[in-house]
Amino acid sequence: MQNRLLLKTVGGVAAAAIMLGGTGCVKNPGDTANLSERYAPVRVKTNEQTQANNEAQSSVIRIRGIHNTGYVSLGDVASAAGYTGRWLADGSFGIGDNDARWRFRTADSLALRDSKALRMPAPAVKDSNRLYVPVSALSMLFGQELTMRTNGSRSISLLPRAVDHTAGAGGAGLSFGDSATSSSNSGAAGRLRIAAVGGDASDIIQQAKKYLGVKYDFGTGSYEDTGTFDCSSFVRFLFAKKGIELPRTARDQAEQGRSVGRNDLQAGDLLFFYVPGRFKTDKTVGHVGIYMGGGNMIHSSPKPEDGVQITDINKEYWQETFLYAKRLL
């Protein structure tokens, strides 16, 4: 009986082999007889390996439980994203590139992004000189600038943003140029109150030069109180002397005036740049300076020197990070 079953089974296998042979499958390049010679073995990553790879491509910020709510340190967010983040003289905590775009206060659920007040679902909490905000507020606060992913209740990751130079970046090798026409005051535009007319641009440039070497200080207060500038407070200070009221941050200042091309610049035009970073968008203004003519800009910056300085903007860094120019005069 066993022999009959064996013969029946062998016969079935032989018949199957004949059928496969008839269809040409045995000679198919995918024949499993030689599969190991044609294909590398498939390696399946463990969850731990996948997580490690994701973290290598991101910047991880740990979540801390406070009052049964997930919080993250603003200092950690700033450091991971490549922003400056620190306590300011007025007691607030500021985050930004070359000026404080975001401001937070201890025990306050209201935060400022530029001039806009945003209400967080819970107040900021200070502990050991670090300020924490709810994880649930991060998208509202930073979602326009950063790409984030929550990793359960343990951490969040900042992810590199897709490269997209539609905002005017990617201009390495594109020189700046002066306008072929003389400066005119007839084009003053937008929501600005122009108190003076004749000689506005030259007056502002001459005034700006008087402050060469004044130290830079992130998120500084008024010059009269601190004796320092950041990029946008310097611009605001000088234009205020001409009766032109500007917002506090470079991002808001970029909303003023009318646009001009990089090869049609005049003295007094405001130049806006993004500040590079692996996790930050290249579409958001992070720095502002005043065009002087002849390819030079005067501005307050922490580098390459520290403070108010004159810079040749036809260097690769400034060509690449330029976003747009605005004319207010």
Side-chain angles (χ1 to χ4, degrees), residues 129 181 195-196 200 281 308:
N129 207 37
T181 60
D200 272 353
T281 177
V308 177

Side-chain angles (χ1 to χ4, degrees), residues 108 132 160 165 304:
D108 197 341
Y132 294 82
H165 292 301

Side-chain angles (χ1 to χ4, degrees), residues 49-86:
Q49 289 172 324
T50 300
Q51 180 68 18
N53 182 67
N54 288 341
E55 292 190 1
Q57 298 300 319
S58 66
S59 190
V60 179
I61 302 164
R62 299 301 175 186
I63 296 175
R64 176 182 173 183
I66 301 177
H67 305 316
N68 298 316
T69 301
Y71 274 75
V72 292
S73 162
L74 284 172
D76 289 348
V77 173
S79 177
Y83 289 120
T84 296
R86 71 183 217 189

